Amino acid sequence: MIWLLAAFLPASSIALSRVYLTAHWPTDILAGALLASLVCSVSLAITQTKHPIATLSKRHWQIILPVLLVSFTVLVSWNLSIALQLYAY
C-alpha cells in the first residue's frame, strides 16, 4: 500500500500541474493515467508469473518513503519559480 503512495504523489502532482498550466485537458490526464495503470498492471502480472517479487518489509518502506518525498520536494522547489515564469501570460 505504501508503494502506491510513493507512486501516486509525484504522478498526481505532475498531472495537476499540467492541467493548471493549461498544457493538457483533464481528460488527457485521465486517459494517460488509465493507460499507464493498464500497462503497469499487465507487466507486473507477467513478471509475477515468471519471477515472483518479494515484498519489502515495513521498515524498508519507512526509510524509502521519506527519502522519496524529500527528494521530490527538493526537485520540485528547485526551479519552480523559474518554470512558472515561463508559463506566465
Side-chain angles (χ1 to χ4, degrees):
M1 186 65 161
I2 295 176
W3 64 271
L4 285 173
L5 180 63
F8 180 76
L9 286 176
S12 61
S13 299
I14 292 167
L16 291 175
S17 73
R18 302 304 293 168
V19 172
Y20 176 76
L21 296 172
T22 65
H24 293 283
W25 291 97
T27 52
D28 296 343
I29 302 298
L30 182 62
L34 290 174
L35 179 64
S37 298
L38 177 70
V39 170
C40 289
S41 298
V42 169
S43 64
L44 182 62
I46 291 170
T47 302
Q48 287 286 60
T49 57
K50 294 183 179 185
H51 305 286
I53 302 169
T55 58
L56 291 175
S57 68
K58 188 175 181 178
R59 176 157 168 68
H60 286 110
W61 280 111
Q62 288 174 343
I63 295 169
I64 293 170
L65 192 59
V67 170
L68 288 174
L69 291 175
V70 167
S71 62
F72 178 70
T73 303
V74 168
L75 289 173
V76 166
S77 63
W78 192 300
N79 288 323
L80 183 62
S81 61
I82 295 169
L84 289 176
Q85 288 175 358
L86 291 173
Y87 290 100
Y89 288 76

